Amino acid sequence: MYSAKISALGCYVPPGVLTNADLEKMVETNNTWIIERTGISERHIAAPEVATSDMAVEAARAALAQRGIEAPELDAIIVCTVTPDMFFPATACLVQNRIGAHGAWGFDLVAACSGFVYGLTTAANLVMTGMHRKVLVIGADTMSRIIDYTDRATCILFGDGAGAMLVERGEAGEGFIGHKNEIDGSGGDYLKMPAGGSRLPATRETVDQRLHYVKQEGQQVFKYAVKKMYELCRDLLAEHSLTGEDVALLVPHQANRRIIVSAAERLGLPPERVLINIDRFGNTTAATIPLATRDAVQAGKLKKGDLVLFAAVGAGFTAGANLWRWAY
Ligand code: UT7
């Protein structure tokens, strides 16, 4: 087996901002409640003409530029998203064509908020077999397209954005250490977009009943997320004879500040070793982890050789934790 390392990172967030004050004018809510219950102050929202592939392309180009390579060097592209431009073709195909990654194959990965963690695990495995040298993992979601802005329980949570990490062959001891990923479909009803698929195709009624929007039973998801984020991190560390003490930085999915703080406390991680940027971006689904990692790198919180733990829980339920040694 070869080693797989993360060698570059690129992000894109649309310039439009939706603040808590804006939301106060749209639904019965208030800034204090949103901050206390979620930690979110504002989110970025894509302009109407911008789709998921547009943001994914920007993030991809930024990652390639940072690494100083051209798109034809890519062997595979994985786009983690629940808001593809359309059902098919896959957003990975649209991105491949736009960036000119001739010779790459790829696919979309549907794991909601755990998408990027699953994408990293998948890319690491593709590289570690020796059959791929460079795999681009993109997390991109235009959540604003599937959010009901009359539902105060969900519309305050989500934002739009994209991030990409390049996973490539590394030297022994660099990069990917291990993962602990799970799905638990018994939780599938707690967070979903009910209509638009083969079970409930789009009809006038499904539109009238607002079934093409995110529906969430927040407390059920919250309870599962608090438990799973901690358990998977704990078990992954234990499997490698590590504890929270060894982790330089936890970069968790940003769904709710309270979920992150709870997991970090139980892992024994002090606040300075946990990246939280939910205040500025909200929950961008598959994009939260690259966006948070970018902030960590820019703030000097993540340096070459550091042990970094990525963790996420999302619709499905899906959940995962990945342990990497940061390589640049
Ligand atoms: O990334 C994918 C995974 N998703 C998550 O991890 C999300 C997990 N869930 C959560 O983050 C939280 O459950 C929410 C932030 C969605 C909700 O917070 P909560 O503390 O669980 O609130 P709640 O649903 O129990 O509601 C408490 C109260 C209710 O009022 P009553 O029944 O006590 O009178 C709600 O109607 O807060 C009310 N409420 C609001 N009030 C002001 C719900 N949404 C709002 C709002 N503004 N936006």
Side-chain angles (χ1 to χ4, degrees), residues 9-13 55-56 58-63 66 139 161-165 287-295 298:
L9 166 65
C11 289
Y12 177 79
V13 282
M55 298 194 297
E58 294 296 333
R61 286 185 177 139
Q66 186 193 316
M165 289 190 197
T288 61
I289 287 185
L291 287 174
T293 308
R294 178 186 64 170
D295 278 7
Q298 284 178 352

Side-chain angles (χ1 to χ4, degrees), residues 108-131:
D108 286 5
L109 193 161
V110 185
C113 298
S114 308
F116 202 83
V117 167
Y118 286 12
L120 282 180
T121 307
T122 307
N125 279 275
L126 291 177
V127 170
M128 286 160 71
T129 61
M131 295 179 74

Side-chain angles (χ1 to χ4, degrees), residues 29 33 37 113 152 216 218-219 221 253 255-256 258-259 283:
T29 191
W33 190 96
R37 304 311 291 166
C113 298
R152 69 174 183 174
Q216 175 171 242
Q219 285 191 5
V221 181
H253 168 56
N256 187 315
R258 291 181 292 139
I259 295 173
N283 182 350

Side-chain angles (χ1 to χ4, degrees), residues 3-328:
S3 292
K5 67 175 180 182
I6 295 165
S7 59
L9 166 65
C11 289
Y12 177 79
V13 282
V17 171
L18 181 68
T19 65
N20 291 352
D22 297 329
L23 284 162
E24 282 177 359
K25 295 178 202 133
M26 296 159 66
V27 287
E28 185 63 40
T29 191
N30 61 81
N31 181 49
T32 310
W33 190 96
I34 300 173
I35 290 182
E36 278 177 10
R37 304 311 291 166
T38 71
I40 303 168
S41 296
E42 58 186 37
R43 334 90 195 105
H44 288 254
I45 302 292
E49 68 278 10
V50 172
T52 295
S53 69
D54 300 318
M55 298 194 297
V57 162
E58 294 296 333
R61 286 185 177 139
L64 294 174
Q66 186 193 316
R67 179 67 178 81
I69 62 167
E70 300 294 330
E73 285 194 46
L74 294 175
D75 297 314
I77 299 169
I78 303 171
V79 177
C80 314
T81 187
V82 289
T83 50
D85 285 27
M86 51 197 134
F87 255 174
F88 66 88
T91 303
C93 303
L94 308 177
V95 173
Q96 177 271 340
N97 184 47
R98 289 266 300 281
I99 65 174
H102 318 296
W105 70 291
F107 52 91
D108 286 5
L109 193 161
V110 185
C113 298
S114 308
F116 202 83
V117 167
Y118 286 12
L120 282 180
T121 307
T122 307
N125 279 275
L126 291 177
V127 170
M128 286 160 71
T129 61
M131 295 179 74
H132 301 76
R133 275 187 177 269
K134 291 185 174 65
V135 179
L136 191 64
V137 184
I138 305 171
D141 271 303
T142 320
M143 294 305 291
S144 60
R145 298 293 144 72
I146 58 166
I147 292 300
D148 182 350
Y149 285 97
T150 66
D151 175 10
R152 69 174 183 174
T154 50
C155 74
I156 55 148
L157 298 170
F158 294 94
D160 301 334
M165 289 190 197
L166 182 65
V167 177
E168 65 176 285
R169 190 181 291 181
E171 302 300 318
E174 266 189 335
F176 186 70
I177 295 171
H179 75 278
K180 198 134 199 84
N181 298 346
E182 286 185 5
I183 56 173
D184 178 1
S186 70
D189 275 338
Y190 295 129
L191 178 50
K192 64 182 179 185
M193 190 175 93
S198 59
R199 178 71 60 195
L200 209 51
T203 61
R204 195 177 295 271
E205 288 72 33
T206 62
V207 172
D208 289 346
Q209 291 164 21
R210 308 182 83 76
L211 297 178
H212 297 270
Y213 291 124
V214 171
K215 306 286 177 195
Q216 175 171 242
E217 288 186 40
Q219 285 191 5
Q220 297 290 345
V221 181
F222 188 92
K223 273 188 256 171
Y224 183 83
V226 162
K227 182 171 173 294
K228 271 296 156 193
M229 191 172 277
Y230 163 65
E231 285 180 359
L232 291 182
C233 290
R234 176 199 64 192
D235 293 351
L236 175 59
L237 290 169
E239 223 168 68
H240 296 274
S241 305
L242 298 163
T243 68
E245 289 281 299
D246 302 296
V247 175
L249 194 68
L250 169 66
V251 182
H253 168 56
Q254 313 279 317
N256 187 315
R257 190 173 208 285
R258 291 181 292 139
I259 295 173
I260 299 171
V261 168
S262 160
E265 279 174 358
R266 294 173 77 185
L267 289 165
L269 285 167
E272 62 274 16
R273 287 200 274 134
V274 183
L275 202 295
I276 301 182
N277 67 356
I278 193 171
D279 51 321
R280 287 156 43 227
F281 300 112
N283 182 350
T284 55
T285 303
T288 61
I289 287 185
L291 287 174
T293 308
R294 178 186 64 170
D295 278 7
V297 173
Q298 284 178 352
K301 289 185 168 189
L302 201 48
K303 298 185 208 69
K304 192 174 161 81
D306 281 350
L307 202 59
V308 56
L309 183 58
F310 300 110
V313 179
F317 290 128
T318 56
N322 272 214
L323 199 52
W324 292 72
R325 203 162 282 287
W326 195 247
Y328 74 85

